[in-house]
Amino acid sequence: MRRYPPVLASAAAALTVFFALTVFWPLFCMFSQITAEGTAAVFAGAVFRRAVWNSCVSGLLTTAAALLLATAMALLTECTRVRWKPLWRGAFLLPMLLPSVSEGTGLVLLLGANGLLTRWLHLPGSIYGLHGIVLGQVLYTAPVAYLLLADLLRYRDQSPYDAARLAGVPPAFQCAGITLPFLRRELLAAGFLIFALSATDYGIPLAVGGKVKTLASVMYSSVVGQLDFGKGSVIGVLLLLPAAASAAADLLSPRGWVVSASRAPTVPPEDRRRDRWAFCLCALIAALFVLPVLAFMTTMLMEHYPLQTSLTLRHLTEFWTAPVSAGLRNSVLLGLGTALAGTALTAAAACVTARYSNRVSLGLHFLSVLMASVPGLVLGLAFVLAYKGTTLYGSTWLLILAGILHFFTTPYYLLYQALQKLSSELEHAGQTLGIPPLRMIFGVLLPQCAGTLTDMAAYFFVNSTITISAVSFLASASTRPLSLLVVQYSDQLNLAGAAYLSFLILCVNLLALGAAALMKRACGSRRADRC
């Protein structure tokens, strides 16, 4: 084992103290609000018990359906030579660029009492209720699981498949005997992640839940509407459980196969019949994700939906008001601040844990992974109780801090895995040449991971602009981002206004992703020139 440099040991200790002050102290403040009498009163409530049941049922149904859908999406795009593959990937990931309440409202516009498909196809029933929550959360969580599974399949080792083809094993048996066991650990992690996301999201239940309440929606109404922090704290502890189980399963589950050491995308064998079927299925699945978004977006071009559906452009200027302009500015500032500070913080944590190992770094790695077990609603409530009355409360800085901590684990894992794949001899060579550890990190290791750092910044930016859970309790009138205005407009049944704001968020995120793609291409070109 390499000797742990003192400067990195100091950095690991400082980051551990940072987590203690910014995460565990606010959570302690939240736990201190819980009393035995208050807990008994919460559990005795009929609304609360129904909300627990609804959250469990919807979470389990969502997990089963979304996991099947995400696995099918990953197999279709990464295990075939389907045409227009980038288009299908973009369509599958489209819901990740919008607040969840936008997805739910899009389903209402399609399948509600006056929905477009309801009227055109004369469909019976209503989208409101538990089935609507499950449908919305499947479309909301499946892209996240798809992203996890597709990246692993894209760089899987091809040698077992070559051996199976030489042995005459049919493709279906290759999928059942090689691909699915290869994904076993990631399927388990994705299942826990889907359940945690569905249990802690309140945007979709807010849009399509109707009279059906979930734990997240009850907590939101208790804290925002009733200012009942004791009840919100009790519910917050319950919301910690599924997310904590997700983090524990990820830490304790055994490691599966490794991806291809060359990191070159695997090229599936040619099969025209399979690829034609894959094209049709990709088009069908893409329609499931794109149609709710398109239906929602078109309302901003309608005169007054559903009474007048004639097209107009006046909403594009009518809704550009001072609050919307301020909300857009706040969203961009929040995204940029979270991307810059979050990327720097996660890079520091990954650098002191991925290449060296001691007790402090192992503890920091555990804390970095455990951050995924704190839902945004819980983190927001904990921040309210910890920082209310201070100068930091209601400021953009507190929103940025909440965004960094809420989305910390995924970017950390990206860089952690990228740094571990670099040659282990780099530090030995640096020590031989007398290169200081910090110069080795900034001059050798991080430049090799420039593309990963760009992905991390893009992840922080996009998620901070669409989140409504992490900032719903923290934003003031002057720092409120567009995502919270979308919720406000939806509550007021101003669907055209909510669609307009969602369109602005989508445009900002597409520009951010485009800029990130250009930066990655520039980094790749410079690396190729040096070679």
Side-chain angles (χ1 to χ4, degrees):
M1 183 180 294
R2 295 186 293 267
R3 184 176 65 85
Y4 204 89
V7 64
L8 296 188
S10 300
L15 287 170
T16 303
V17 172
F18 170 79
F19 280 128
L21 293 177
T22 58
V23 179
F24 295 104
W25 177 63
L27 288 177
F28 174 78
C29 294
M30 186 186 75
F31 292 147
S32 65
Q33 296 287 317
I34 300 175
T35 62
E37 296 80 7
T39 303
V42 171
F43 276 87
V47 174
F48 172 80
R49 292 197 299 270
R50 286 197 298 269
V52 172
W53 172 256
N54 293 333
S55 294
C56 292
V57 172
S58 65
L60 291 174
L61 293 177
T62 298
T63 301
L67 201 57
L68 287 174
L69 183 59
T71 304
M73 290 154 53
L75 293 174
L76 288 172
T77 57
E78 309 307 329
C79 297
T80 70
R81 293 190 180 184
V82 62
R83 291 182 299 162
W84 304 352
K85 190 174 294 187
L87 175 64
W88 305 132
R89 288 173 179 162
F92 295 161
L93 299 178
L94 183 61
M96 296 180 63
L97 304 181
L98 292 167
S100 59
V101 68
S102 301
E103 184 77 25
T105 307
L107 288 175
V108 172
L109 294 172
L110 282 178
L111 300 171
N114 292 311
L116 300 175
L117 293 181
T118 302
R119 289 187 296 175
W120 291 347
L121 302 179
H122 304 287
L123 298 177
S126 171
I127 190 63
Y128 294 104
L130 187 63
H131 59 288
I133 294 176
V134 172
L135 177 59
Q137 289 182 337
V138 166
L139 299 181
Y140 168 60
T141 58
V144 182
Y146 163 75
L147 200 60
L148 175 66
L149 300 175
D151 184 69
L152 187 68
L153 284 176
R154 192 174 304 134
Y155 298 100
R156 68 193 185 277
D157 190 0
Q158 186 63 27
S159 55
Y161 298 90
D162 295 336
R165 280 196 297 273
L166 290 176
V169 178
F173 287 92
Q174 292 181 28
C175 180
I178 301 177
T179 304
L180 293 182
F182 172 58
L183 294 175
R184 180 173 59 246
R185 180 178 182 273
E186 280 64 30
L187 286 171
L188 178 64
F192 277 105
L193 178 61
I194 290 171
F195 187 88
L197 288 174
S198 61
T200 57
D201 172 66
Y202 74 90
I204 289 174
L206 199 66
V208 300
K211 296 181 179 180
V212 176
K213 301 297 182 183
T214 62
L215 275 177
S217 60
V218 171
M219 179 179 178
Y220 177 76
S221 61
S222 298
V223 177
V224 175
Q226 305 170 14
L227 297 179
D228 190 342
F229 295 110
K231 182 177 181 180
S233 299
V234 173
I235 300 175
V237 172
L238 292 179
L239 290 179
L240 278 172
L241 298 180
S246 173
D250 184 69
L251 286 170
L252 299 177
S253 60
R255 297 286 170 180
W257 296 357
V258 296
V259 296
S260 174
S262 65
R263 290 298 292 174
T266 301
V267 180
E270 187 174 357
D271 188 333
R272 293 185 178 180
R273 181 181 179 184
R274 177 204 63 195
D275 295 341
R276 284 195 295 267
W277 276 105
F279 182 88
C280 296
L281 291 175
C282 282
L284 180 62
I285 296 174
L288 294 177
F289 293 103
V290 174
L291 281 179
V293 177
L294 285 180
F296 187 43
M297 294 300 179
T298 53
T299 56
M300 71 177 180
L301 301 177
M302 295 182 182
E303 189 69 32
H304 185 60
Y305 181 86
L307 301 178
Q308 297 180 10
T309 57
S310 56
L311 299 181
T312 180
L313 296 177
R314 68 179 180 88
H315 293 320
L316 300 182
T317 55
E318 179 182 292
F319 289 125
W320 184 254
T321 59
V324 171
S325 175
L328 179 60
R329 182 183 67 249
N330 293 334
S331 291
V332 173
L333 289 176
L334 176 61
L336 290 175
T338 306
L340 294 175
T343 302
L345 192 64
T346 49
C351 286
V352 300
T353 58
R355 305 292 293 182
Y356 297 88
S357 180
N358 69 355
R359 291 181 179 179
V360 179
S361 68
L362 290 176
L364 179 60
H365 176 68
F366 178 77
L367 292 178
S368 299
V369 176
L370 196 64
M371 283 302 305
S373 67
V374 184
L377 275 176
V378 177
L379 187 65
L381 176 59
F383 271 31
V384 170
L385 298 173
Y387 296 107
K388 193 177 178 71
T390 66
T391 56
L392 195 61
Y393 183 72
S395 67
T396 302
W397 298 109
L398 190 59
L399 299 183
I400 291 174
L401 179 60
I404 292 172
L405 298 175
H406 183 37
F407 305 115
F408 186 90
T409 300
T410 298
Y412 166 80
Y413 249 141
L414 287 175
L415 187 59
Y416 180 85
Q417 293 175 349
L419 288 172
Q420 283 197 326
K421 289 182 175 67
L422 298 179
S423 173
S424 61
E425 300 301 321
L426 290 174
E427 283 81 4
H428 293 304
Q431 290 176 4
T432 303
L433 296 174
I435 300 176
L438 289 181
R439 186 176 178 184
M440 175 63 67
I441 290 174
F442 289 103
V444 179
L445 299 181
L446 289 182
Q448 295 293 319
C449 303
T452 302
L453 291 171
T454 304
D455 289 336
M456 293 161 59
Y459 181 89
F460 273 120
F461 185 94
V462 169
N463 282 277
S464 62
T465 58
I466 68 172
T467 183
I468 55 179
S469 60
V471 299
S472 57
F473 302 151
L474 302 174
S476 63
S478 59
T479 61
R480 183 170 48 191
L482 279 182
S483 57
L484 293 185
L485 283 176
V486 173
V487 177
Q488 178 183 327
Y489 280 30
S490 298
D491 288 342
Q492 298 171 354
L493 298 181
N494 187 351
L495 298 183
Y500 178 72
L501 300 184
S502 299
F503 176 73
L504 292 178
I505 295 174
L506 179 62
C507 291
V508 168
N509 286 333
L510 289 176
L511 288 175
L513 293 178
L518 292 177
M519 291 178 63
K520 288 184 66 176
R521 181 175 297 181
C523 293
S525 299
R526 285 197 297 269
R527 190 157 52 244
D529 292 340
R530 287 197 298 267
C531 296

